[in-house]
Amino acid sequence: MVEHVDHVDLDEGVIETCKEHFSWGKAWDDPRVTLHISDGAAFVRNAPAGHYDVIIQDSSDPFTWTDEGHTVELPSSVLYSEEHLGYLFRALSPEGVFNFQAETFNLPSDLKGIKDWRYDALETGFESAQY
C-alpha cells in the first residue's frame, strides 16, 4: 500500500499542464502526495538514507545533438551521473527499487548511454540493472 509519495519536478508549468489536460491530473489532490517544485538532484542529495522503498526517475534527456551531429550535454545530465546514482542508492531502503528512463534500444546512438548508465548503476552498488 502506498503511504506517501514525494513528487519532485523542476518545472511547475509541467504540473499545471498535466492538471489541465490529463485525466489523471487530480493525482496531486491525494493527501498522500507531496509536490516539491525543486531541483531533483538536490532533493535526492538531501534525502534521508534508506528513506524510500521506490524511486522513479522520469527526467529529461541528458544530451542532444547539433545540426552538425555533435553531442551537446544538457543540464539534466547530472541526473544520469554516477554521483547522482550513488545518492539514489543511498536514499533507497535495503530492499528498495529504482526505476528510471534509460533511452531506447531503437536509436543506435542511445545504446552507449544505456550501457554506460547500467555500468554506473552496478558500480554504485545496485545488485541488478536490467533494461
Side-chain angles (χ1 to χ4, degrees), residues 98-129:
F98 170 54
N99 179 284
F100 83 121
Q101 170 196 333
E103 302 303 319
T104 176
F105 279 132
N106 297 328
L107 299 175
S109 60
D110 289 349
L111 292 176
K112 180 180 180 328
I114 292 167
K115 180 179 167 264
D116 291 347
W117 301 322
R118 182 179 183 281
Y119 176 82
D120 288 347
L122 293 170
E123 285 294 304
T124 299
F126 288 96
E127 291 179 20
S128 175

Short mmCIF file of all heavy atoms in Angstrom, two decimals, residues 98-129:
data_model
loop_
_atom_site.label_atom_id
_atom_site.label_comp_id
_atom_site.label_asym_id
_atom_site.label_seq_id
_atom_site.Cartn_x
_atom_site.Cartn_y
_atom_site.Cartn_z
N PHE A 98 14.64 1.03 -7.77
CA PHE A 98 14.84 2.27 -8.54
C PHE A 98 14.51 1.99 -9.99
O PHE A 98 14.96 1.01 -10.57
CB PHE A 98 16.29 2.74 -8.40
CG PHE A 98 16.66 3.87 -9.32
CD1 PHE A 98 15.92 5.04 -9.36
CD2 PHE A 98 17.76 3.76 -10.14
CE1 PHE A 98 16.27 6.08 -10.19
CE2 PHE A 98 18.12 4.80 -10.99
CZ PHE A 98 17.38 5.96 -11.02
N ASN A 99 13.69 2.85 -10.58
CA ASN A 99 13.30 2.73 -11.98
C ASN A 99 13.55 4.08 -12.63
O ASN A 99 13.15 5.11 -12.09
CB ASN A 99 11.82 2.34 -12.07
CG ASN A 99 11.34 2.23 -13.49
OD1 ASN A 99 11.11 3.24 -14.14
ND2 ASN A 99 11.19 1.03 -13.97
N PHE A 100 14.21 4.07 -13.80
CA PHE A 100 14.41 5.35 -14.47
C PHE A 100 14.40 5.22 -15.99
O PHE A 100 14.62 4.15 -16.53
CB PHE A 100 15.67 6.06 -13.98
CG PHE A 100 16.98 5.64 -14.60
CD1 PHE A 100 17.76 6.57 -15.25
CD2 PHE A 100 17.46 4.35 -14.46
CE1 PHE A 100 18.98 6.22 -15.79
CE2 PHE A 100 18.68 3.98 -14.99
CZ PHE A 100 19.45 4.93 -15.66
N GLN A 101 14.13 6.35 -16.62
CA GLN A 101 14.14 6.43 -18.08
C GLN A 101 15.57 6.20 -18.54
O GLN A 101 16.49 6.85 -18.07
CB GLN A 101 13.68 7.83 -18.50
CG GLN A 101 13.87 8.09 -19.97
CD GLN A 101 13.80 9.58 -20.29
OE1 GLN A 101 13.15 10.34 -19.60
NE2 GLN A 101 14.47 9.97 -21.34
N ALA A 102 15.73 5.27 -19.46
CA ALA A 102 17.09 4.96 -19.93
C ALA A 102 17.16 4.90 -21.44
O ALA A 102 17.79 4.03 -22.01
CB ALA A 102 17.56 3.65 -19.32
N GLU A 103 16.46 5.82 -22.09
CA GLU A 103 16.52 5.93 -23.55
C GLU A 103 15.84 4.73 -24.22
O GLU A 103 15.03 4.07 -23.63
CB GLU A 103 17.96 6.10 -24.02
CG GLU A 103 18.64 7.33 -23.42
CD GLU A 103 17.93 8.63 -23.68
OE1 GLU A 103 17.43 8.85 -24.79
OE2 GLU A 103 17.85 9.44 -22.76
N THR A 104 16.20 4.44 -25.45
CA THR A 104 15.54 3.38 -26.21
C THR A 104 16.54 2.61 -27.05
O THR A 104 17.48 3.19 -27.59
CB THR A 104 14.43 3.97 -27.11
OG1 THR A 104 13.89 2.91 -27.90
CG2 THR A 104 14.95 5.05 -28.03
N PHE A 105 16.33 1.33 -27.13
CA PHE A 105 17.18 0.49 -27.99
C PHE A 105 16.98 0.80 -29.47
O PHE A 105 17.78 0.41 -30.30
CB PHE A 105 16.87 -1.00 -27.77
CG PHE A 105 17.53 -1.59 -26.56
CD1 PHE A 105 16.81 -2.35 -25.67
CD2 PHE A 105 18.88 -1.40 -26.32
CE1 PHE A 105 17.41 -2.92 -24.57
CE2 PHE A 105 19.49 -1.97 -25.21
CZ PHE A 105 18.75 -2.73 -24.34
N ASN A 106 15.90 1.47 -29.80
CA ASN A 106 15.58 1.71 -31.21
C ASN A 106 16.48 2.75 -31.87
O ASN A 106 16.52 2.84 -33.09
CB ASN A 106 14.12 2.14 -31.35
CG ASN A 106 13.18 1.05 -30.91
OD1 ASN A 106 13.47 -0.14 -31.06
ND2 ASN A 106 12.05 1.43 -30.37
N LEU A 107 17.16 3.55 -31.07
CA LEU A 107 18.08 4.55 -31.61
C LEU A 107 19.51 4.11 -31.31
O LEU A 107 19.91 4.06 -30.15
CB LEU A 107 17.83 5.92 -30.98
CG LEU A 107 16.45 6.52 -31.20
CD1 LEU A 107 16.32 7.82 -30.42
CD2 LEU A 107 16.20 6.76 -32.68
N PRO A 108 20.28 3.79 -32.35
CA PRO A 108 21.64 3.29 -32.11
C PRO A 108 22.48 4.23 -31.24
O PRO A 108 23.30 3.78 -30.45
CB PRO A 108 22.23 3.18 -33.51
CG PRO A 108 21.05 3.02 -34.40
CD PRO A 108 19.94 3.81 -33.76
N SER A 109 22.27 5.54 -31.33
CA SER A 109 23.05 6.48 -30.54
C SER A 109 22.76 6.35 -29.05
O SER A 109 23.55 6.78 -28.22
CB SER A 109 22.77 7.90 -31.01
OG SER A 109 21.40 8.20 -30.84
N ASP A 110 21.61 5.78 -28.68
CA ASP A 110 21.25 5.63 -27.27
C ASP A 110 21.88 4.39 -26.63
O ASP A 110 21.91 4.29 -25.40
CB ASP A 110 19.73 5.54 -27.12
CG ASP A 110 19.06 6.88 -27.38
OD1 ASP A 110 19.76 7.91 -27.47
OD2 ASP A 110 17.83 6.88 -27.50
N LEU A 111 22.36 3.46 -27.43
CA LEU A 111 22.89 2.22 -26.88
C LEU A 111 24.08 2.46 -25.96
O LEU A 111 24.20 1.84 -24.91
CB LEU A 111 23.26 1.25 -27.99
CG LEU A 111 22.08 0.69 -28.79
CD1 LEU A 111 22.59 -0.19 -29.92
CD2 LEU A 111 21.14 -0.07 -27.88
N LYS A 112 24.97 3.39 -26.31
CA LYS A 112 26.12 3.68 -25.47
C LYS A 112 25.65 4.24 -24.13
O LYS A 112 26.15 3.85 -23.08
CB LYS A 112 27.08 4.65 -26.15
CG LYS A 112 28.29 4.95 -25.28
CD LYS A 112 29.24 5.92 -25.94
CE LYS A 112 30.46 6.25 -25.14
NZ LYS A 112 30.38 6.26 -23.70
N GLY A 113 24.69 5.15 -24.16
CA GLY A 113 24.16 5.71 -22.92
C GLY A 113 23.57 4.64 -22.02
O GLY A 113 23.82 4.61 -20.81
N ILE A 114 22.78 3.75 -22.60
CA ILE A 114 22.17 2.67 -21.82
C ILE A 114 23.26 1.81 -21.18
O ILE A 114 23.20 1.48 -20.00
CB ILE A 114 21.25 1.81 -22.72
CG1 ILE A 114 20.03 2.63 -23.16
CG2 ILE A 114 20.83 0.54 -21.99
CD1 ILE A 114 19.24 1.98 -24.27
N LYS A 115 24.27 1.46 -21.97
CA LYS A 115 25.37 0.64 -21.46
C LYS A 115 26.11 1.37 -20.33
O LYS A 115 26.39 0.79 -19.28
CB LYS A 115 26.33 0.32 -22.60
CG LYS A 115 27.52 -0.51 -22.21
CD LYS A 115 28.39 -0.78 -23.44
CE LYS A 115 29.72 -1.33 -23.05
NZ LYS A 115 30.78 -0.34 -22.94
N ASP A 116 26.40 2.65 -20.53
CA ASP A 116 27.12 3.42 -19.52
C ASP A 116 26.31 3.55 -18.23
O ASP A 116 26.85 3.40 -17.13
CB ASP A 116 27.47 4.82 -20.05
CG ASP A 116 28.50 4.79 -21.16
OD1 ASP A 116 29.15 3.74 -21.36
OD2 ASP A 116 28.66 5.83 -21.82
N TRP A 117 25.01 3.85 -18.33
CA TRP A 117 24.19 4.03 -17.13
C TRP A 117 24.03 2.72 -16.39
O TRP A 117 24.01 2.71 -15.16
CB TRP A 117 22.84 4.63 -17.49
CG TRP A 117 22.97 5.96 -18.17
CD1 TRP A 117 23.90 6.93 -17.88
CD2 TRP A 117 22.22 6.45 -19.25
NE1 TRP A 117 23.75 8.00 -18.73
CE2 TRP A 117 22.72 7.73 -19.59
CE3 TRP A 117 21.15 5.94 -19.99
CZ2 TRP A 117 22.19 8.50 -20.60
CZ3 TRP A 117 20.63 6.71 -21.00
CH2 TRP A 117 21.14 7.97 -21.30
N ARG A 118 23.93 1.62 -17.13
CA ARG A 118 23.83 0.31 -16.48
C ARG A 118 25.12 0.02 -15.71
O ARG A 118 25.09 -0.40 -14.56
CB ARG A 118 23.57 -0.78 -17.52
CG ARG A 118 23.40 -2.14 -16.91
CD ARG A 118 23.11 -3.21 -17.98
NE ARG A 118 22.89 -4.48 -17.34
CZ ARG A 118 23.86 -5.27 -16.89
NH1 ARG A 118 25.13 -4.93 -17.03
NH2 ARG A 118 23.58 -6.41 -16.30
N TYR A 119 26.24 0.27 -16.35
CA TYR A 119 27.54 0.07 -15.69
C TYR A 119 27.65 0.94 -14.44
O TYR A 119 28.05 0.46 -13.37
CB TYR A 119 28.68 0.40 -16.67
CG TYR A 119 30.04 0.31 -16.04
CD1 TYR A 119 30.70 -0.91 -15.90
CD2 TYR A 119 30.68 1.46 -15.57
CE1 TYR A 119 31.94 -0.99 -15.30
CE2 TYR A 119 31.93 1.38 -14.98
CZ TYR A 119 32.55 0.17 -14.85
OH TYR A 119 33.79 0.09 -14.25
N ASP A 120 27.29 2.22 -14.54
CA ASP A 120 27.36 3.13 -13.40
C ASP A 120 26.46 2.67 -12.26
O ASP A 120 26.83 2.75 -11.08
CB ASP A 120 26.99 4.56 -13.80
CG ASP A 120 28.06 5.23 -14.64
OD1 ASP A 120 29.19 4.71 -14.72
OD2 ASP A 120 27.75 6.28 -15.24
N ALA A 121 25.26 2.20 -12.59
CA ALA A 121 24.34 1.72 -11.55
C ALA A 121 24.94 0.53 -10.81
O ALA A 121 24.90 0.46 -9.58
CB ALA A 121 22.99 1.33 -12.17
N LEU A 122 25.53 -0.39 -11.54
CA LEU A 122 26.16 -1.56 -10.91
C LEU A 122 27.37 -1.15 -10.08
O LEU A 122 27.58 -1.66 -8.98
CB LEU A 122 26.53 -2.60 -11.96
CG LEU A 122 25.34 -3.25 -12.68
CD1 LEU A 122 25.82 -4.09 -13.86
CD2 LEU A 122 24.52 -4.10 -11.71
N GLU A 123 28.15 -0.21 -10.58
CA GLU A 123 29.32 0.27 -9.84
C GLU A 123 28.92 1.00 -8.57
O GLU A 123 29.64 1.00 -7.58
CB GLU A 123 30.17 1.21 -10.71
CG GLU A 123 30.97 0.51 -11.76
CD GLU A 123 32.05 -0.37 -11.15
OE1 GLU A 123 32.88 0.13 -10.38
OE2 GLU A 123 32.05 -1.59 -11.44
N THR A 124 27.76 1.63 -8.58
CA THR A 124 27.26 2.38 -7.43
C THR A 124 26.81 1.47 -6.31
O THR A 124 26.81 1.87 -5.15
CB THR A 124 26.08 3.28 -7.88
OG1 THR A 124 26.56 4.18 -8.88
CG2 THR A 124 25.53 4.09 -6.76
N GLY A 125 26.43 0.24 -6.62
CA GLY A 125 26.00 -0.69 -5.59
C GLY A 125 24.71 -1.41 -5.88
O GLY A 125 24.33 -2.31 -5.13
N PHE A 126 24.00 -1.01 -6.93
CA PHE A 126 22.78 -1.72 -7.28
C PHE A 126 23.15 -3.16 -7.66
O PHE A 126 24.13 -3.38 -8.37
CB PHE A 126 22.06 -1.04 -8.45
CG PHE A 126 21.41 0.25 -8.06
CD1 PHE A 126 22.06 1.46 -8.26
CD2 PHE A 126 20.15 0.28 -7.49
CE1 PHE A 126 21.47 2.65 -7.89
CE2 PHE A 126 19.54 1.46 -7.12
CZ PHE A 126 20.20 2.67 -7.33
N GLU A 127 22.38 -4.12 -7.18
CA GLU A 127 22.67 -5.53 -7.44
C GLU A 127 22.29 -5.95 -8.84
O GLU A 127 22.82 -6.89 -9.39
CB GLU A 127 21.94 -6.41 -6.42
CG GLU A 127 22.48 -6.27 -5.02
CD GLU A 127 21.73 -7.14 -4.04
OE1 GLU A 127 21.07 -8.12 -4.45
OE2 GLU A 127 21.80 -6.83 -2.84
N SER A 128 21.31 -5.26 -9.41
CA SER A 128 20.82 -5.60 -10.74
C SER A 128 20.49 -4.32 -11.47
O SER A 128 20.01 -3.35 -10.87
CB SER A 128 19.56 -6.47 -10.59
OG SER A 128 19.00 -6.72 -11.85
N ALA A 129 20.74 -4.31 -12.76
CA ALA A 129 20.38 -3.16 -13.60
C ALA A 129 19.92 -3.73 -14.94
O ALA A 129 20.71 -4.06 -15.80
CB ALA A 129 21.58 -2.23 -13.79
#
